[in-house]
Every structure is written in C-alpha cells, then in structure tokens.
Amino acid sequence: MKLILNEEQQMLKDSAKDFAENRTPVNHFRSLRDDNDPQNWDKEVWKEMVELGWSGILIPEEFGGSDFGLAGISVIMQEIGKTLTPSPLLATAVLGASAINTFGTQEQKAEYLPKIASGEITTALAVDEESHHAPSNTLTKAELVGDEWVINGKKKFVVDGSSADVLIVLARTSGVKGENAGLTLFILNANQEGVEVIKTDMADCRNYANIVFDNVSLAKKALLGDQESGGEAIDKILDEGRIALSAEMLGNSEAAFEMTLNYLKERKQFGVLIGTFQALQHRAAEMFVEIELTKSAVMAAMQGADENNNDLQRMASLAKSIAGETLYLVSNESVQMHGGIGVTDEYDIGFYMKRARVAEVIFGGANFHQERYANLSNF
Amino acid sequence: MKLILNEEQQMLKDSAKDFAENRTPVNHFRSLRDDNDPQNWDKEVWKEMVELGWSGILIPEEFGGSDFGLAGISVIMQEIGKTLTPSPLLATAVLGASAINTFGTQEQKAEYLPKIASGEITTALAVDEESHHAPSNTLTKAELVGDEWVINGKKKFVVDGSSADVLIVLARTSGVKGENAGLTLFILNANQEGVEVIKTDMADCRNYANIVFDNVSLAKKALLGDQESGGEAIDKILDEGRIALSAEMLGNSEAAFEMTLNYLKERKQFGVLIGTFQALQHRAAEMFVEIELTKSAVMAAMQGADENNNDLQRMASLAKSIAGETLYLVSNESVQMHGGIGVTDEYDIGFYMKRARVAEVIFGGANFHQERYANLSNF
Amino acid sequence: MEHLESFRAEVKEWLEENCPPSMRTGAKVDASSATDEVWGGRNAVYKNPESKLWLDRMGAKGWTMPTVAKEYGGGGLSKEETKILNEELWSIGAKQALLSFGIWMLAPALLEYASEEQKRLHIPRIIKGEIRWCQGYSEPGSGSDLASLSTKAEDMGDHYLVNGQKVWTSYADQADWIFALVRTGPQEPKHTGISFLLIDMATEGVSTKPITLISGKSPFCETFFDNVKVPKENLVGEVNAGWTIAKALLQHERNFISNFGLAGAASGGGNDVVTLAKKHFGEEDGKIANGIFRSDVTTHKMKEHAFGLTLKRAGDEGGKASAVASMFKYYGTEHNKKRHEMMIAAMGSNGVAWDGDEYDQEEKDLTKAWLRTKGNSIEGGTSEVQLNVISKRVLGLPS
Amino acid sequence: MEHLESFRAEVKEWLEENCPPSMRTGAKVDASSATDEVWGGRNAVYKNPESKLWLDRMGAKGWTMPTVAKEYGGGGLSKEETKILNEELWSIGAKQALLSFGIWMLAPALLEYASEEQKRLHIPRIIKGEIRWCQGYSEPGSGSDLASLSTKAEDMGDHYLVNGQKVWTSYADQADWIFALVRTGPQEPKHTGISFLLIDMATEGVSTKPITLISGKSPFCETFFDNVKVPKENLVGEVNAGWTIAKALLQHERNFISNFGLAGAASGGGNDVVTLAKKHFGEEDGKIANGIFRSDVTTHKMKEHAFGLTLKRAGDEGGKASAVASMFKYYGTEHNKKRHEMMIAAMGSNGVAWDGDEYDQEEKDLTKAWLRTKGNSIEGGTSEVQLNVISKRVLGLPS
C-alpha cells in the first residue's frame, strides 16, 4: 500500500478544493447559519456536488456511480472540511451508499443506489440512543408481528437526520443491551407512518435529528442484510464513515491552522509580528507535526479500506482518535492565538472549534476509539 | 489548618538548609558515589544530623525526642533533598520512629525509640515483594510454631535496608494475596539468624536492599501492633513516609529548577543568553507553577497529618502523585535545557533525574496514588 | 472583643429588621446567567422590588463597601467588623445587594488616586448603586499591548474632546458612566501619554454596540466616542499619568478572574465532571464506568485540589505579589477551560446541544459556558502575557 | 530485467561462497551494546576472525558502498542492483560487514566536495574499512550554535597549525582520522570563516579523553589539538567554505537520528512496553491489569503507529526536504524518550536497577538505555532547534 494519492484521487481532491474555495467558502456556511436554514445545507449546492459525481463515488458503475472508493470520497471530505461546507455527503454518499452497496439485496441496490447517485434521495444512519456512541447498547426493538417488522424506540444524534428521505436503522431483534449479537439493520422511508423526526440544533449547525419510531410497520424486505447480522454490518459501515469523517476533521484542522498561521504573520503586538514570538512558533511547529501524523493515519486508513486491508477496524479507530485529538489541539490553540477576536462570533475561527467538539462525538470519541484500538491490539 | 510554617518548623527548615548547603552540598553525594561507599551514606554526617535532633523529631520527649511532628521532619527532608544529602533519615526517623511510636507496646517504645533518637540504631521498613508497590500483595509468611513466629519470604527494594540495624517487616499471618486483612507487622534485628540482606545498586545511589527471610524465628513480642492489624498500620506508616518523601522530592524539584534557571541566565547561544528565548521562558514559568502546586499539596499533607486530619490517605496520595509528576517534568526539562552537558556525568543535574525515577517508585508511583485518590474520592 | 460582640449583635438585629425575606434565599450569584442580579444605576429595572429595598438599605449604611470611610458614604468599619458583617450576611443567606464595577475596580482606584472632590462626588454614588460604571480600556487592535491605545482626548482649554473606540466594555449598553484610558500625549512614549478619564455616557457622541461571542450574546460592547466633550475636572490624577492607575486596576481584574478556575468546582452540584461522567458513562462499583475517562478525571481533579490549596496557601501567606496573581490568572483560567472541556466530553452529544426542546436547558447552558471559558485565558491579560510576567518578574529571566 | 535476474544469481552464488557461516546469524546490530560490531580501522580487534574475512571480501567487491563508482573502490552498482544485493544479504541474514562514519557521513561529502585526488586517496580506504573516521564538529560551549566554533587552523604556508578542542567526537579514542570543522578566517563572519579539514589522529599533538554520560560509559570523547600540523592538501573544498559541507553532513546525521523513535518499536521482543507492562502489572482478560497505565500505553502506541505511517508516507512521497527531516528528528527523539520512560515505568523498581546480581542484565541495560535517550533530543540539533527550523522554514513564520 502506498501512502500517496493516485492520479484519480488527486483529481478528485483538486476538483473539491476548487469547489470549496470558490463555491462554498466559509461565508456560505455562515449565511446558512444566519438565515436559520431549516435543513442546514443548500439544495442548489448539493445539486452541483451531485453533478460533480460525488454522491456516486462509493456506488458501482452499473448503478450510476463511479466506484472510486473510500479514498476518493475521503479526499473530497477533507477539502470541503476546510471551508465547513454543509452537505449531506457523509450521511448519504458514505454511510447510505456503503450500507446499501455492501449489505443490500440486488433489489435494494437497484432501488436506492441510482437514486443516491442521481441526487434524488438523501439518507441517514440512525444508530445512537445514548449520549455516548455505543451501537451494542441499542434498545430500539424490532419484532416480527405476522408478516411485518414492527419497530419501536428512539434514536438520537442522527447526522443529516432531519433532511433524509431514507433511513437506515439499527434495531435489536434479540439479545440484550450491551450485546452485538441480535442487532439487525432496516431500511425505510423517513415519511413512513409512525416515524417522527425531530430536528435538533447542535453547536456546529450541522443537520442532526432525534427520531422516534412508534409502532412503525415494515415489510420483510425492509431488512438490510441478514437478520441478526447488523452488529457486524454496522461496524463496517461505521468504520467507513469514521474514516471519511476523520478526513473531514483533518481538513478542519488544516484550515484552522492555516488561518492561524496567516494571523501570526500579520498581527502586530508590542510593535512586532506575533509570529516572531518563539513560544508561539514552537506551539505552531507542534501543531504542524500533529497534523502530519493525522494525515498519515487518515491516508493509511482510507487507502487500506480500498485495498481490503484486514486491519480496517484498528485503522479506523486510529484515524478517528488522532484526527479528533489533533482537531481538539488545533481548534483550541487557534482561538487562543487569535486573542480577543478569536472568541467573537464575527470571526470564523470559532466555527472550527464548535465543529471540532461535535465531530469528536460522532461515531465515537477518542476514548471510545482508544479502548477499541487497545482491545484489538491486545494491550 | 494554616498552610504556612509555624516558628518551630521554620527554624528546623532554616537549620536544615544551612546544613545541606554547607555540610552536604551535592559534591558530598558525588564523592560517596565515586568511592562506591558500601552504605551510601556517611556515618559522620548522620551523627551530626542526630546531634541536630533530626532522628528524634517524631519521637516523644519521654523517649528522647522532640515530638515536632511530620511537618517538622518533612521540612528537613525538603531541604536535604535539594542537595541529595544521603542519610537514613527517611527509613529511620520517619518510617521506623513512626511505626514504633504509633503501634509499638510501651516496652517496644522504651526499647527502640531512645536508640533511634540517639542515633544508636537505624531502621528499615520491608514491604514490597514485587516490582510495583502493593502492600496487599504480600506473600511473605509468618506462622506461629509453638511459641514462636517463623517468617519465610523475600522482600525487595527496602529503602536503607542494607545499613539498617532493625527491620520492620510486613508479613501475612492469614488470608491470600491481594487482601489487606491478614497482614501483620514484625520488628526484629537485622542480624537475626536466617535474615539475608542483599544490597542492591539502584540508579540513584541511595541505599536499598533485597532481604530474604529463611525460617526466621521470632519471639511473640516481635509483633508490632496487633496480629492481623498490619494492613491498617502499614497504611498509616506508609502515608507518613509518602508525605516526607514527597517533601524530599519537592526539594529535588526546587534545586533542579534553580540550577536550570541559573544556567538559563548565564549560558549564551547565538550571541544571547538562552534565558531570553521565549519558548524556554514559558516552559520555565510552567515548571514554576507546577512546583507551587506541589508545595501546597505537600504543605497541606504534612500539616494535616499533624492535626490528625481525617483525610490523611487522600492527602498523602495527592502529595506523592503531584510531587512525582512535577519532579518528572522538572528533571526532564532541566536536563534538556542544559543541553549536552546535561547528559554528562560530570554535571550534577543528571543526579536529580535518576533520583526522580527511583523516588517515584518508592511507596507507589503516580499511577498507584491516582487510583487510590480516585477510589477514596468516589470517582 | 466586647465591642465586637456588641457589634455582631447590632448587625444581627439590623439584618433581622432590614433584610427582606426574598433576599435571604442563600442563592449564589452566578455572574454568567443570573437574571435578578442587582447592578444599580440610572436605568436599573428591579424585577423584585425587595431587591431595590435591600440595595437602598445597604447603600444607606454604606455596607456595600463596608471598609470605606463614612465621609465617602462607606460603612466606616474596621477589618474585624467587616468580617463579622460578612459572616452575619452569610449566616442568613443574604443576597449580594449590589454587583458593581464601581465597587470592584473604580472606587479603590479613586480612593488612591483621585482628588478629594472627585472622591466625595463619585464614591457615594457607587456605594448607593446610583451610578453604574463600565471600564473603557481595550481598543480594536490593542490586544495584549494595552498601552498602544489610540482613543484621543484633546485639550480644548475648558474641556477634553474625545474621539475613538473602545472594545470589550462590559455592560457598556447599560452603564451610566465609563472610566476610560485616553491618549492625551500623542508625542509622548506610549506609556506616558495616557490619562485616566471619567465620562458620562449620556454625553452627546457616546454610543455602544453589543458584541456577539462564539458562546452567543455577551455583556461586552463596542463603545464609540465621536467628538465627545468631557469636562476637565473628570480627569483623575495627573495628565499623562493614567498608566499607573490602569496598572493598579488591571492587577485587581487579574485577581478577580483567577478565581474562575475554582468557582464552579467549589459550587458542586450537577455541573461537576464526576457527576456528569457517572450520569453519562454509567457507574460500575460506584466508579465512572469508562476507565480512560476516569483516569483523566482523576488527574484533573487532583490538579484542582492542589490549585485550591495553592490559593489557600497564598491567602495564609498574606502574599499579594503581582507575580502570584499572574500565576493564578494563568492557571485558574487554563484549568477552567480544561474543566469545561471535560464536562462537555463527559456528556457526549448532550454536551454539544445548542437549542430546541430535545436537550435540557442546563445542558444547552453548559455548551455555551464551555465556549465562554475560551475567553478567560485572553481577557484581563492572555495566558502568554502571564507566562511572560512570571518568567521575567518572578524567575528573573532576561529580556 | 534479464540482466537483473542474472545479477541476482551472481550475487546469490558469491554470497554462498564468500559469506562465512558465523556472519549469517541474522542478528540485528544494536548500536548501543553490540560487542562484535566491525568498525574497521588500523587498530581494529576482531574477536571473530570470520568477521575480518567478511569485511575484506565485501570491501574488495566494493559492496560496503555498492553505489560508489569502481574507480573509488565502490561496487559500481545501479540502484536496482543495490536493491537486489541488499535483498540477498537480508535473505541469508548476513551481518553488516562494516559500521562506519566514513561510509555514512564522510564519503558522501567527499564525493560531492573533494578533489579528485582526495577521493581516490580516502574513499577506497573507507570502503575497505582500513581507516576508521570520527567527526570533529562540536566544541565546549558551542552547543546548538555550531558555527560559533573556535578551534583554529592557522595558515603556516606549507601546513595548517591546529589548536583547540572538540567534544562529542564519537569513538575518537578508536578512530584513525578525524574530519573536523576549523576556523580559518577569524575575521570573517562566523559562518564564512570555517573550513573542512581531514586530520590524521596519529599526528603529534592530537589526544582524546572519553566522556562519561549519565548513562555510564559512552563512545563520546573530548579531542584536543595542541599545535597539530596538518598538510594543506587535507583541506576539503575551498578555504573558508567548510560550512556548506558541514550543513550537508548535518542533514545526513539528522535523518540518521530520527529513526531512533521506531528502531526499538519495530524490533519488538522483550523491550516492548506492552510486554513489560503485562509482565510487571499482570494481565486481566489479556489486558494490562493497571487501567491508568494501559490508557497511557494506548495513546503512546497510537502515536507511534501514526509516526511510523508518517515515515512511510514521506518515503512514498519521495520527499527529502530538510524541514521534514527536522520533524522526524524532533518527533522521533521525543517519542523515543517517552517510550523509554514508559518502559521503565512499566517495570517499577526493576526499571531503575543499576548493578549487581539481583536484577537481570536486560533490566539494568534498559535503565541505562533510558538515560541514554535523554541525549537523543540534544545531539544532532536539539528539539528546540528543530522546532525553530519547522516554524521558520516550513511554516514561514517571521524572524
């Protein structure tokens, strides 16, 4: 495995960079926020992303995608992460596409994948039920009543949950809280009777929802993957999501760091540029090193995933944990180095801090992934 | 409780400071080391310490001591810690005196305490059997055979063990490894038949020994404290030792920091004093803060101990943990800031690093005390 | 001693008669969110009329600044008497009658630097809560280099003409007067061309605009001076000698902020990181169920313990050295930031909630409180400035 | 391709015939403690005669520096051929025939900067291991400011007269020649008055004294020059232009040291922190029994993993920028220090053993290895210097 981008990936990255810089600079995010956009992302922008082929990157060509792999979508996530570009890319093009393509029946693939690729639908993955990510703690129940599955429960913190047309839900068909066995995935339309989607406003102004399932009846074919195989499936889907999210977080770090470096080079105090202060120089150098380490971890995870590296779980946990810790460091240092204006809403740097903490929680924080990495490594 | 020294304590501190600076500067330690002194401390120096009354500080006046309390001995430990003054003070005047005075019978007190106060004997406390401090893991066995206790087992890492005349030993009279119940303390002469004292050379050139007990027969009166009460007793004795040791470690940190500050003020690189480099200034300021926090923790622990504060365990763990972490930081930073000469044997600063790591292990490291503090605090 | 005992009896009796029932709730004042705080001033609105009554009574006794001499409207109490007063207020759970930058900052400076006339004019109004003050120091671009300020006050013979802009003026939009640093000696070296000026904010040309922070609304404002005429008698101390007063005041502010680190820790309750961690991670054998987080919590709480002891030790030592204040400002604010980071981390997704009904108000408040702490290590002298001060003034490292 | 295949066959055959059995142990060379290392030189002692045989045979082929041209005694191999040679050496577990600062540092510099005559004289002797070299850069007091060196070489017409002192010269007491930086232009600015000089240590006036480190004995020496006469033809490059050569060499050294961080980690075995922690803290359900330590180990190992991937990525990118080298030097040495701290911490009292029979040799060695790592972040450019380089050259922060 080479830890460099191939030509295809480099082209995707360049194209995403160009799009983010020109079409969706941070002001795009700011204006959606200021307008209290109910969806938190712009339909026109999403349409353009779809036209660039981004929604189909994890989708095979026969279903209208380009099959460029996780590395392909991750480099895009990294670039749009730099400008905090709001879009349903993570939930739809990564989680939804990967889940359906990997675990769906031929029929399900034919039904959903072309619609994802064409931008006709967006999706969301409903996993968490507690304040901390823990798929095995799922309590949402799916019971077979006659010919139908009946789902009851409440999911929370569902990324892009309030705008999604189609939901993929992790539910318990047997076993008890804490067990991975007995979990099953279902796919359904968000407007299904009994589904109540409650949009929640989190600190980073991404789209999130809590979702209540009140006696939601589903046909048998709503099963995504085999019954009781959801524990393993969700792990695979989540790991792809974690890697793509890590790439986005890396982009967040890179952008915040660059803004801060620029500030150090232009802001004067006591008659000199503050970038001449050695204490700040060394802290900047340390951030640089951490970002370099993060780049390597993300790169290895995304390239490894596409080469079916059998170390996917550990690599995903490494990437998510390190990306989270680096972004924590960089977002804090960036605000501090900006001084007073760093804590004003008028200035963009604070957006990265808010995004940092919310992204940290999505699909497990550093704690979760350190524990997982340690277990997988026999520490 | 006031976190300042009273007049008596201040006088002891001044006297110790004077002694350390004039009688036992670091060169005294160095020359004992270079001479491979078999005892690692100087009898003449110890005699002078005894004459200053230091061996009797924890001993009541009726037995020839001054009863100045743990704070009294701790301020002395702090000062002699600054010059790494070698002496059996910790093992004898703190651990031995405290153990016998707190748990001994009237007869034992009358037998041992005057001899400790007068410098006639030194003592050592034999607890550890594994590489990590864990009194409850004691396996050394004491069985009652007829009228006598028979002891078998091996102790390791006994501070001042090779020079001690009298040993206090933690042994198991019932129960199994891991239990605090079933532990009992014994007091015996080091030259007792069956006792083999093996001196061990550790990195810091303090006196340590491993001690083998091979069918050592003891009269019933060799019990120190009640049978099976050793678990509780050892905790109290160790906590006093931990606090006094923390004071010594604080002294180590203070001295290493001062040497480093002086170096920053005199060493030139690139034509300027290295103390003008802001990165080093900030790191020095951070060390200063950590040392201040350590001073407070040690002060609160030692004054609290003398006021029978019911939080002794938690305070001892706080002091030992913070003193250890501060000394770790300061010893590392000090060597690094000295540059090349910092890693040469010719220069004193390396001594503090060696002492730091060994002191960290004695009576439990930061890990041990963090866990203990957390348990006591219901975290 | 007999005198003090009778004084205690007097206080008890007076409080019994004069402290209204609703002012004895024992509630702590939480400066960030309390809505029924009393700040006084011309435009004060009293949701609870008893709080106005309580202010008036305490103000009349001069007990909002008990140690200030009676001639300036103070309580004229000795230190020992003040201690007794505070103990008695505490024992009935009395609310603070008046929160005031006038009391905390301006009055002490006036007592030291102002003319007799100025003291007699301004201090009683501060003590009675009649005039609410704000502080005008920082300017856009001045940052840590406060003395680089450029708001100018030109000597026009019978008055100063003030032009410029201040930022970070807390509650400027609700204050009656502002004490401001202005440049009166544009040709002087930067520290010696500054004067300390008192300005009535009702004067024509003064305007304010609130600042929104990353945490949301804030008491901070921008304050603009557009050809504002200020009478010359409003100058405190000598012309061009304002920096000395400013430094004394800044020191005061620094001491004030350094207590942040422990404020919440001491108050306990639902916002303690241990409680939150047990709630959100669960408990096993009474321990926080997540081992890695428990380990982080432990080292954090031990540092907090040692820091608390250090504050106590500094008090016991009676030391008031500015360098020590720098240490407390630095460590207290950094610790407070860390404390909030740990609290929101303990709460998982509930720790990053912003709005709506799906999360508790307490949770949403904590998200904002966390963001607000980011300013602690910037305002009142950045952490970097404090480290500079420690390294140079305490450790004697060369410049 | 056909050529390469036949080359591989040739190599295989040659190795089969020429690599003595005892040189095929596959043992890794551990630079800190190995006793049967081969460093060559006039005074070399070969405990195992086969190691001399192996050196002579490899030297004769020029395969100790396979890519160097045959006219200088090298192997004259292409990159592809060299890769094959290394693979074949690896596959039979061949020991390194020669460890040499001549190979690692001097020869590359000579190839770039020396005269044809100098190359023909010195490089073959390096390749054959006939002359053992040491490096004379640092001086007492020069520290990070290497260019402040003051050992002077005066031009005496037919020779230079050298006076001064070097420190940190590795193995100077066993070396035959030294390549040294000397001051030839005392009036020049400090960087432009330096020359690069080759000195035979057998010359009268050269003496050495070993340096004891906090970790004990070391290969480092002080080297003294007392009126040492050095022929003028021993100057490499132009007079006063030695700094350019020095910088190229330093870069090389930095790259060399930055691999420290992973050296031990990759080698696995008994010195891995996880193994040590399980041994000394015990295991529960296959996990390190001490939760706090396990947590520390985990974050440390994850950083190590990411750092290893970063080294690999830099290789894949083919980047050799000096700034990246600074990053690796900085992080590699800091990580290695931390790794050793964790190992000795895992071992408790066994981690601080120094001498005697009560502790294993491996334990006592590790105590010393831990202390030795403290020099890693100082030698070859301190961590502070590396951070300066990163902040200025990579990040473009102003001076």
Side-chain angles (χ1 to χ4, degrees), chain D residues 47-294:
Chain D
K47 292 193 185 164
N48 175 353
E50 287 191 341
S51 63
K52 170 84 168 87
L53 196 65
W54 178 226
L55 169 59
D56 287 346
R57 287 172 179 171
M58 284 289 281
K61 292 287 276 186
W63 283 1
T64 56
M65 289 196 84
T67 58
V68 168
K70 286 196 172 175
E71 62 209 280
Y72 304 132
L77 302 188
S78 67
K79 269 193 178 177
E80 292 75 19
E81 289 167 338
T82 303
K83 189 161 172 275
I84 287 170
L85 171 62
N86 287 333
E87 285 167 3
E88 293 305 317
L89 284 163
W90 175 263
S91 81
I92 62 164
K95 288 193 65 165
Q96 208 160 341
L98 180 63
L99 303 174
S100 158
F101 292 120
I103 290 175
W104 301 327
M105 311 190 84
L106 180 60
L110 292 178
L111 284 167
E112 190 171 353
Y113 298 100
S115 67
E116 189 58 28
E117 220 173 338
Q118 289 169 328
K119 290 184 205 174
R120 288 184 188 273
L121 177 64
H122 293 292
I123 298 177
R125 296 187 191 170
I126 289 173
I127 287 173
K128 292 194 174 63
E130 291 170 5
I131 294 295
R132 182 169 179 177
W133 286 85
C134 66
Q135 168 183 283
Y137 279 19
S138 292
E139 299 188 2
S142 70
S144 293
D145 187 11
L146 196 59
S148 69
L149 60 92
S150 60
T151 292
K152 66 180 174 187
E154 290 168 277
D155 187 340
M156 310 301 281
D158 62 337
H159 67 272
Y160 289 107
L161 190 68
V162 179
N163 277 287
Q165 182 190 345
K166 295 290 175 182
V167 286
W168 305 114
T169 39
S170 302
Y171 299 111
D173 52 347
Q174 296 170 57
D176 306 311
W177 280 65
I178 184 169
F179 51 96
L181 294 178
V182 292
R183 187 155 301 282
T184 40
Q187 310 304 329
E188 305 281 324
K190 70 178 179 182
H191 290 91
T192 54
I194 293 170
S195 297
F196 192 91
L197 200 59
L198 309 178
I199 305 174
D200 186 338
M201 296 188 74
T203 317
E204 201 183 320
V206 179
S207 62
T208 66
K209 188 181 146 201
I211 296 173
T212 305
L213 296 183
I214 51 176
S215 45
K217 286 199 176 118
S218 86
F220 296 118
C221 296
E222 294 177 282
T223 302
F224 304 90
F225 301 94
D226 182 18
N227 285 322
V228 176
K229 289 184 185 175
V230 180
K232 288 193 113 171
E233 64 261 31
N234 288 12
L235 184 80
V236 177
E238 299 288 311
V239 73
N240 288 345
W243 187 245
T244 311
I245 309 176
K247 274 195 299 183
L249 266 168
L250 279 174
Q251 200 47 62
H252 216 74
E253 185 183 1
R254 220 159 270 176
N255 291 338
F256 195 68
I257 295 175
S258 66
N259 288 317
F260 276 1
L262 288 168
S267 79
N271 279 352
D272 176 72
V273 61
V274 175
T275 313
L276 289 170
K278 287 185 174 178
K279 177 174 171 190
H280 290 276
F281 283 115
E283 279 185 66
E284 276 168 22
D285 309 327
K287 296 175 185 174
I288 297 165
N290 184 303
I292 296 178
F293 197 79
R294 178 172 182 263

Side-chain angles (χ1 to χ4, degrees), chain A residues 1-4 265 276 278 281-282 286 289-290 292-293 296 318 370-371 373-375 378-379, chain D residues 274 278 287-288 294 298-299 301-303 305 309-310 312-313 316-317 330-331 388 395-396 398-399:
Chain A
M1 181 176 66
K2 287 271 185 204
L3 298 184
I4 42 175
K265 291 173 190 175
T276 62
Q278 196 195 30
Q281 291 181 341
H282 282 198
E286 277 160 9
V289 177
E290 297 299 334
E292 288 298 307
L293 262 57
S296 312
L318 180 69
Q370 283 161 11
E371 184 66 33
Y373 184 97
N375 288 334
N378 295 313
F379 289 164
Chain D
V274 175
K278 287 185 174 178
K287 296 175 185 174
I288 297 165
R294 178 172 182 263
T298 302
T299 47
K301 294 292 275 188
M302 290 174 87
K303 280 296 177 80
H305 193 165
L309 291 169
T310 306
K312 168 158 170 47
R313 181 166 65 87
D316 290 349
E317 286 171 352
Y330 165 68
Y331 200 86
N388 286 343
L395 306 181
S399 293

Side-chain angles (χ1 to χ4, degrees), chain B residues 1-4 257 264-265 275-276 278 281-282 284-286 288-290 292-293 295-296 300 314-315 317-318 321-322 370-371 373-375 378-379, chain C residues 274 278 286-288 294 297-299 301-303 305-307 309-310 312-313 316-317 327 330-331 384 387-388 390-392 394-399:
Chain B
M1 182 176 65
K2 287 270 185 205
L3 298 184
I4 42 174
F257 185 53
L264 294 178
K265 291 174 190 174
T276 61
Q278 196 195 32
Q281 290 179 341
H282 282 199
E286 277 160 9
F288 168 78
V289 176
E290 297 298 335
E292 288 299 308
L293 262 57
K295 280 183 193 170
S296 313
R314 228 166 59 105
M315 294 309 295
S317 282
L318 180 69
S321 168
I322 294 218
Q370 283 160 12
E371 183 67 31
Y373 183 98
N375 289 333
N378 295 315
F379 288 163
Chain C
V274 175
K278 286 184 174 178
K287 296 175 186 175
I288 297 165
R294 178 172 182 263
V297 167
T298 302
T299 47
K301 293 292 274 188
M302 290 174 88
K303 280 295 175 79
H305 192 165
F307 182 54
L309 290 169
T310 306
K312 167 157 171 48
R313 181 165 64 87
D316 290 349
E317 286 171 353
M327 174 174 84
Y330 165 69
Y331 200 87
E384 289 76 12
L387 290 172
N388 286 343
I390 294 170
S391 68
K392 283 172 188 140
V394 190
L395 306 180
L397 290 172
S399 293

